[in-house]
Amino acid sequence: MPPIVTCRGLSKTFGKGELAVHALRDADLDIMPGDIATLAGPSGSGKTTLLNMIGALDEPTSGEVSVDGQPLSGLSRSQLSDLRLSKIGFVFQSYNLIPVLSARENIEFVLQLQGVSAAERRDRAMNAIKEVGLSGMEDRRPGKMSGGQQQRVAVARALVSRPKIVLADEPTANLDSKNALELVDLMRNLNREHGTTFLIGTHDIRVMEHSMRHIEMVDGRIDSDARSSG
Amino acid sequence: MIDGLKTMLPLAWRNLWRNPRRTGITLIVVAIGLWSILFFNAFMTAWAKSSKETTLQLLLGSGQIHAEGFMDDPSIETLMDPPDQDLASALDAPAVADWTTRVVVPGVVQSEYKTLPATIVGVDPVAEARISSIPDRIAEGRYLSGSDDDSVVLGLHMVERLKTGLGRRVILMSQNAEGAMSEQSFDVVGIYDADKATEDLYVFTGRAASQRFLGLEGEIAQVVFVLQEDTALEDAVAALADAAPALDVRGWKELNLFLASMDSYMGVFVQVWLGIVFSLMAIGIVNTQLMAVFERTQEFGLLRALGMKPRRVLFMVTIENALLIGTGVLLGMVLAAVTIWSLSDGIDFSAFARAMEMVQTGEIIYLDFEPGAFILFPGLIWLLGILVTLWPARRASRCRPVEAMRRET
């Protein structure tokens, strides 16, 4: 089975000359379908930069990223938007929900961008809400939800569009232990039941323990890439 | 597209109320700006209309016909015969509401105390009442009883200056048809109240009486006509000029250049005001919307990260702005309509009567609800408002997701 994500010789440098910061150095990586991989390493090791490159949110200085066989270089901003919309789901550290929309509307929003009909949007959003364990809270706005609940909505939003891969950057960083563990369980279950591919940038040992693949980054390089029995 | 709008509109409406204070300020700016434009337009239109009607109804009429040369030298030597059959037929055309003839000569009026220059006007009081507002402006006494009435009606201010009054006698003097001076004593039977310039200049007597006084054999100085519709002025003047090619036919726009320029430039005044108000509004709106976009940079980054295309972000922010400005425009329209409606009985400027006379306007200005203005100006403000907010909207749409999401606001 071909990899969902392929990175070859990926480098990213911020600034120029003596002030240049090499955030990513010559990274090679394949993410296979069904992987639940963690990207770990100290702050500044390049985790977020790598996730941003794979998520088509930022451009590499050199090297190439392909998502689902599609090289990202040369794509216009509009084409990159289409690719993110159809193939990639995002979960961010600070949830990043739209504050004026309810939980269901936040989830439906991505489907609306995809042009899914109103009826189907509603069905799929309600299913996603049920799957992340938030039934009964669909009409609440983010401001009326706990951090854990908001992050579950963010996971549901990332999954509802049926992406090829979900990229999560420090998804448990703002959560307490209980909510963090519940979120990890949720991602693990979604991976097991639907084969959803996750690439999670994290410091959190609890997340790493539940991953089937652990990628360690140091100084912008991939230092180790090991699979566990899960 | 429709589905997209159905989703975008409620989202846009909710986004507007995320910062009620800023939205409120923008709404007030737009509403008051539009209100001022609509009110100013209604006021200026009403003022111009009042000014025009007051002046035309006083003595001017829609137009006048004179002998060639009379306008340059209005004397007894430049009089004309009463309208012949061709001209009378043209004056009886449906476009002409009414007409009359006058004798108008320069002269002097003398009391026991003072002698003043005056324009002596001989009128047919019955026809004059249909053409001019002077017969309705009698402050004391009465108007002339007929063309043969050899008494006079003087202006209020002239009476004060002559130190004369009702029931007293004054002497009119003017050059007669034979080139000699005629003078005759007339009873003051009425005093009229108009603007000061008119009161100081015109002395009215019967037309036949004035012809006798001046030794005329039916000659007149002018034909005054009033049209059914002012829009027919140019056609009517052309038709009358055709019927009387030897005479000088002029519409009011040629006879009173000040009034004509007021009439033409009224629209320009409103446009200048529109420009000033809109410029101020645009600065306010662009500033507040730039601030709103700046505060939501992270959110726009998120939308872009989720896969929203730049043009869709532009569309979304533009819908928000259209909704915001549209709401302000609706408020402004309601405010203006209520103001105009509540003043439809007229704004009384009688406390400034003399000032109003100077600008040749009635003391009461009646505001009219003008449906055309309520479509044109709000539409213009709405469209221009959306246009200026395209700049902040474009900034939002061009944000780079990774940088935008990193920004703390």
Side-chain angles (χ1 to χ4, degrees), chain B residues 68-367:
Chain B
E68 283 292 352
F70 181 87
M71 294 303 290
D72 300 323
D73 177 22
S75 70
I76 198 155
E77 285 154 14
T78 48
L79 299 185
M80 59 188 254
D81 289 328
D84 60 16
Q85 201 171 358
D86 286 347
L87 182 54
S89 299
L91 286 165
D92 288 334
V96 181
D98 229 316
W99 61 276
T100 187
T101 59
R102 292 176 185 149
V103 171
V104 182
V105 288
V108 292
V109 54
Q110 189 177 46
S111 69
E112 303 92 312
Y113 298 100
K114 215 168 201 173
T115 302
L116 295 172
T119 296
I120 300 162
V121 185
V123 297
D124 171 3
V126 178
E128 196 70 15
R130 298 192 303 263
I131 296 273
S132 162
S133 61
I134 296 285
D136 297 326
R137 290 171 171 264
I138 298 299
E140 284 181 59
R142 63 167 177 84
Y143 193 59
L144 301 161
S145 57
S147 183
D148 284 320
D149 191 341
D150 58 359
S151 46
V152 291
V153 173
L154 302 179
L156 201 56
H157 197 245
M158 182 180 271
V159 168
E160 285 170 16
R161 290 169 71 204
L162 289 171
K163 295 183 182 170
T164 186
L166 213 57
R168 308 267 288 269
R169 292 178 77 82
V170 291
I171 295 168
L172 299 187
M173 284 183 271
S174 181
Q175 187 185 332
N176 62 26
E178 290 166 359
M181 287 301 289
S182 283
E183 65 172 68
Q184 186 181 322
S185 168
F186 291 80
D187 286 331
V188 179
V189 294
I191 300 169
Y192 68 90
D193 180 7
D195 62 276
K196 213 171 180 177
T198 303
E199 286 173 14
D200 276 342
L201 191 60
Y202 295 103
V203 174
F204 296 92
T205 185
R207 185 179 60 207
S210 68
Q211 286 166 332
R212 280 196 302 274
F213 162 60
L214 296 166
L216 299 173
E217 294 173 356
E219 294 97 320
I220 55 164
Q222 65 185 204
V223 177
V224 189
F225 57 88
V226 173
L227 298 177
Q228 300 280 10
E229 295 291 339
D230 194 47
T231 47
L233 181 64
E234 283 172 22
D235 289 344
V237 167
L240 292 170
D242 277 349
L247 298 177
D248 181 6
V249 183
R250 298 189 189 191
W252 64 266
K253 288 181 183 175
E254 285 179 273
L255 294 166
N256 190 327
L257 295 176
F258 173 74
L259 191 64
S261 46
M262 282 277 288
D263 195 55
S264 337
Y265 288 116
M266 201 52 67
V268 177
F269 293 149
V270 174
Q271 282 163 23
V272 168
W273 183 246
L274 174 74
I276 293 169
V277 170
F278 183 75
S279 302
L280 293 173
M281 274 167 58
I283 292 168
I285 293 170
V286 168
N287 265 324
T288 49
Q289 291 315 297
L290 271 177
M291 185 64 77
V293 163
F294 180 74
E295 280 178 12
R296 289 168 60 198
T297 301
Q298 211 175 30
E299 182 184 319
F300 294 127
L302 167 76
L303 297 176
R304 295 277 293 108
L306 291 179
M308 197 183 234
K309 289 183 181 177
R311 67 165 184 270
R312 192 136 188 185
V313 176
L314 181 79
F315 180 59
M316 189 186 84
V317 180
T318 303
I319 283 190
E320 283 182 31
N321 292 332
L323 212 54
L324 174 66
I325 297 164
T327 308
V329 160
L330 279 178
L331 281 175
M333 286 170 75
V334 170
L335 208 60
V338 168
T339 310
I340 291 169
W341 177 76
S342 64
L343 294 172
S344 57
D345 287 342
I347 307 173
D348 189 354
F349 285 99
S350 53
F352 311 100
R354 282 296 175 194
M356 298 307 277
E357 276 174 14
M358 282 174 69
V359 289
Q360 297 185 334
T361 305
E363 290 173 10
I364 297 178
I365 303 280
Y366 296 94
L367 300 189

Side-chain angles (χ1 to χ4, degrees), chain A residues 137-213:
Chain A
M137 303 185 89
E138 56 271 15
D139 292 327
R140 284 203 196 173
R141 289 199 186 176
K144 301 280 182 191
M145 301 174 100
S146 71
Q149 288 166 339
Q150 287 187 57
Q151 199 60 300
R152 281 163 180 266
V153 176
V155 171
R157 180 180 65 187
L159 290 170
V160 77
S161 59
R162 297 169 186 155
K164 296 287 180 186
I165 185 168
V166 174
L167 303 176
D169 191 8
E170 302 284 5
T172 57
N174 287 348
L175 302 181
D176 58 27
S177 298
K178 181 175 169 286
N179 276 308
L181 275 175
E182 283 177 3
L183 188 73
V184 171
D185 280 345
L186 174 66
M187 291 194 284
R188 181 76 183 160
N189 288 339
L190 290 167
N191 170 261
R192 203 176 290 141
E193 286 168 23
H194 303 295
T196 311
T197 307
F198 283 92
L199 178 58
I200 308 167
T202 187
H203 283 107
D204 193 333
I205 192 74
R206 293 162 302 193
V207 180
M208 295 178 213
E209 280 169 358
H210 283 77
S211 71
M212 59 175 68
R213 185 176 170 192

